[in-house]
Amino acid sequence: MPPMTAPLRHFLQLADLSGDELQHVFERTRLIKDRFKRYEFYQPLRDRTLAMVFEKASTRTRVSFEAGMYQLGGSVIHITTGDSQLGRSEPIEDSARVISRMVDIVMIRTFEQAKIERFARYSRVPVINGLTNEFHPCQILADVFTFIEQRGTIRGRTVAWIGDANNMAYTWVQAAALLGFTLQVSTPPAYPLDPRLAPAGAHLKVCDSPLAAAHGADLVTTDVWTSMGFEAQNEARRRAFADWRVDARVMAAARHDALFMHCLPAHRGEEVTAEVLDGPQSVVWDEAENRLHVQKALMEYLLLGRDVA
Ligand code: CP
């Protein structure tokens, strides 16, 4: 009997899944990770193909999606702007129509969110956001799963975001509303949250300093001061973000058992000190590994729905 196929769903931002669906993905992640650690064969995506489109560099996203799809029994095609017609102005709509007739699922890392949305509109198969300027939903899946693994539920907890108002921050904003926790954010005054991506709400608290944001937090998290695509702003950002560094003083403002996360790659001595990144509260290596497990659960959900073993 051919494997079941789920109705077409995309994962272009975290809010494309409901809180209940996210809980399902986290439960499946636990199971899929346990099986993987026991070397149990689990290949529900045999004969399925993932196309990965990268318009920006990657280590974790590439390795986790590629390894994950092979482990689930499928195969992978890796496309970049430089080695495909995408870099030679073939319209996104045409690329989407062609690629999605040949594969079962697509992961895209690109610049503007509008680009991945255009691709998805013309795709016959699920499209996953592997990072855009606005959102990084696969990373937040891994971060929330890591928190659950370490501390139990995230509902009712407090997460501190310190640093840039970037794709990670905006995805944390969505996670807080969907999963019921408080997000305390502190960014430099010249780099505030964009209210279109971070609408005011009970789950979002904007703070005037990193210490205020970290106060009472169960998790402190940050990211590089300059995201990919914004390198021209590097020097100005270095000056503006100098006081938005997660160091021992910031961690001391959080709960005594607070975790530290960073999506990586990190710049020790810039957004986080080596003492924190490599210290006992840091779970960044589990966080990175969990990209593999959550994305396997995500691909399983988008392709097979809940009808899984
Ligand atoms: N965190 C993350 O997305 O890492 P890569 O840029 O290496 O994929």
Side-chain angles (χ1 to χ4, degrees), residues 21-259:
E21 289 176 307
L22 291 172
Q23 292 300 347
H24 168 80
V25 169
F26 296 138
E27 280 160 29
R28 292 299 299 174
T29 302
R30 174 76 272 150
L31 205 137
I32 287 169
K33 182 173 180 177
D34 286 348
R35 284 176 170 168
F36 177 74
K37 295 290 178 185
R38 290 196 299 267
Y39 293 96
E40 257 178 50
F41 212 56
Y42 181 58
Q43 300 203 320
L45 300 186
R46 278 186 308 278
D47 300 327
R48 306 289 179 109
T49 304
L50 164 71
M52 303 192 298
V53 180
F54 282 99
E55 296 202 300
K56 289 178 178 174
S58 166
T59 296
R60 278 144 289 269
T61 303
R62 165 136 193 219
V63 174
S64 54
F65 267 106
E66 190 157 343
M69 191 56 170
Y70 284 127
Q71 288 162 16
L72 292 174
S75 52
V76 180
I77 296 167
H78 177 240
I79 304 164
T80 67
T81 315
D83 65 13
S84 69
Q85 302 291 1
L86 287 165
R88 298 182 64 247
S89 308
E90 181 166 14
I92 291 172
E93 293 78 1
D94 294 359
S95 302
R97 283 187 272 227
V98 171
I99 293 170
S100 71
R101 280 173 179 248
M102 299 177 179
V103 302
D104 301 279
I105 189 163
V106 179
M107 188 285 304
I108 303 179
R109 167 167 287 197
T110 188
F111 292 88
E112 298 80 20
Q113 183 73 11
K115 244 176 138 175
I116 198 171
E117 285 173 1
R118 276 168 64 201
F119 189 103
R121 213 169 299 135
Y122 289 86
S123 173
R124 289 181 164 193
V125 301
V127 178
I128 296 174
N129 180 344
L131 181 147
T132 58
N133 291 350
E134 289 86 349
F135 298 114
H136 197 359
C138 292
Q139 184 65 54
I140 299 300
L141 284 183
D143 293 11
V144 172
F145 178 75
T146 306
F147 186 89
I148 294 169
E149 222 179 10
Q150 299 273 343
R151 295 285 184 266
T153 181
I154 199 164
R155 182 167 294 280
R157 303 293 195 123
T158 299
V159 174
W161 175 266
I162 291 162
D164 194 17
N166 66 5
N167 48 13
M168 285 291 295
Y170 294 125
T171 313
W172 273 115
V173 170
Q174 293 195 346
L178 286 162
L179 298 169
F181 60 86
T182 300
L183 182 68
Q184 299 182 161
V185 176
S186 174
T187 67
Y191 295 86
L193 289 171
D194 180 340
R196 289 168 301 180
L197 295 171
H203 296 294
L204 176 62
K205 200 169 150 196
V206 177
C207 304
D208 58 10
S209 71
L211 287 178
H215 182 73
D218 298 284
L219 166 63
V220 177
T221 183
T222 187
D223 192 6
V224 292
W225 290 339
T226 307
S227 293
M228 285 184 283
F230 297 87
E231 287 79 4
Q233 302 175 10
N234 221 352
E235 276 317 305
R237 282 173 167 267
R238 258 200 197 127
R239 287 190 294 275
F241 283 77
D243 293 331
W244 273 262
R245 174 178 297 122
V246 178
D247 56 16
R249 215 163 59 95
V250 170
M251 290 305 293
R255 283 175 54 96
H256 72 280
D257 62 348
L259 300 173

